Amino acid sequence: DRAAYIHMGILLGTLMVANVFFGIIPPQRDFVKAINAGLPPNADSLRMAKMRSMHNNYFTLPVLFCMVSNHYPFLYGHRYNWLILIAVCLITAAARQFFNLRHKGIYKPGILVVCSLLFAALMGVVAWDRQRTSAAQTAAADITDLDAMTLVGTHCISCHATTPSFAGFAAPPLGVVLATPADVKLHADKAKEVVAAKYMPLGNITGMTDEERQKLVSWLGHL
């Protein structure tokens, strides 16, 4: 899920590069050659270059969102993450229209107002659905302290120990140690958030199942 958002940004970015390399630079070169030769430029190729440039223009904000999406696990970890990604890309692309019109001397702030309202509504729905889903999972899951700490030991402790055993870590990330129930309780709120959003274990390298994740989130919610 996390990688899918980044891959979407890579796809859009690749299209932007291709637009420049194949659709904008060649007509520009032909235009310069025609002018130097005293010939009329090819209008069709220039129109294509303008169209490709406009495509790139509307891609800019969606690409920017995809670039920073790694910091928002509550979005890519949501059960409707694909729909959220599409909605954010459409809203941000629509917001670009305000700037395009402004460059022409046309001011329509209503575009930004509508996009802001749509974005706020989307985030409201995401927050509401997260709370509803979290409450349902908490009510459905049942786990003992011993079983919960076993899951922590399996999926978390290799990194979040006083001396991590995971290759590349000389110290626990952000100084978070989860060796004992008291340690876990100290970081319960944040741990619940990142586990529920599937941000941790990072890349799910330990293979945590959805059932294990649900149980651990439920247990963390009661600490």
Side-chain angles (χ1 to χ4, degrees):
D1 299 332
R2 182 186 184 192
Y5 272 47
I6 299 296
H7 287 174
M8 181 63 173
I10 293 172
L11 173 62
L12 292 176
T14 301
L15 290 174
M16 293 176 74
V17 171
N19 278 336
V20 173
F21 192 76
F22 296 109
I24 297 176
I25 292 180
Q28 182 187 42
R29 288 175 175 170
D30 292 340
F31 173 80
V32 173
K33 289 179 181 178
I35 295 299
N36 289 336
L39 300 174
N42 188 323
D44 290 335
S45 65
L46 292 177
R47 277 193 290 269
M48 181 187 70
K50 180 181 178 181
M51 179 183 67
R52 298 296 178 86
S53 179
M54 187 60 68
H55 289 169
N56 282 2
N57 178 278
Y58 285 105
F59 281 163
T60 51
L61 293 181
V63 168
L64 181 61
F65 166 73
C66 291
M67 288 171 62
V68 301
S69 65
N70 187 49
H71 300 287
Y72 302 102
F74 68 93
L75 294 180
Y76 66 72
H78 196 278
R79 57 177 177 159
Y80 293 124
N81 47 21
W82 61 275
L83 191 57
I84 293 171
L85 177 59
I86 292 173
V88 171
C89 286
L90 289 176
I91 292 172
T92 52
R96 197 71 183 88
Q97 178 68 1
F98 167 80
F99 301 99
N100 292 336
L101 292 176
R102 189 182 66 176
H103 293 322
K104 297 180 179 181
I106 303 173
Y107 293 88
K108 290 190 175 182
I111 295 175
L112 291 183
V113 172
V114 172
C115 289
S116 297
L117 291 175
L118 288 174
F119 190 78
L122 176 63
M123 292 302 99
V125 171
V126 169
W128 170 79
D129 188 71
R130 280 189 69 208
Q131 292 178 351
R132 187 171 66 91
T133 303
S134 179
Q137 290 176 341
T138 300
D142 184 24
I143 186 173
T144 64
D145 290 350
L146 179 60
D147 290 339
M149 287 306 298
T150 299
L151 289 178
V152 171
T154 301
H155 300 290
C156 311
I157 205 65
S158 60
C159 295
H160 293 285
T162 304
T163 305
S165 59
F166 191 83
F169 286 114
L174 300 178
V176 176
V177 176
L178 304 174
T180 67
D183 293 334
V184 177
K185 186 175 182 179
L186 183 63
H187 303 284
D189 290 341
K190 186 62 178 178
K192 178 184 176 183
E193 178 183 344
V194 297
V195 172
K198 298 183 180 180
Y199 183 74
M200 290 293 173
L202 196 60
N204 199 22
I205 194 170
T206 61
M208 178 181 280
T209 66
D210 289 341
E211 182 181 1
E212 290 175 332
R213 191 178 300 278
Q214 180 177 318
K215 289 182 177 181
L216 190 55
V217 168
S218 174
W219 180 73
L220 289 168
H222 287 92
L223 291 180

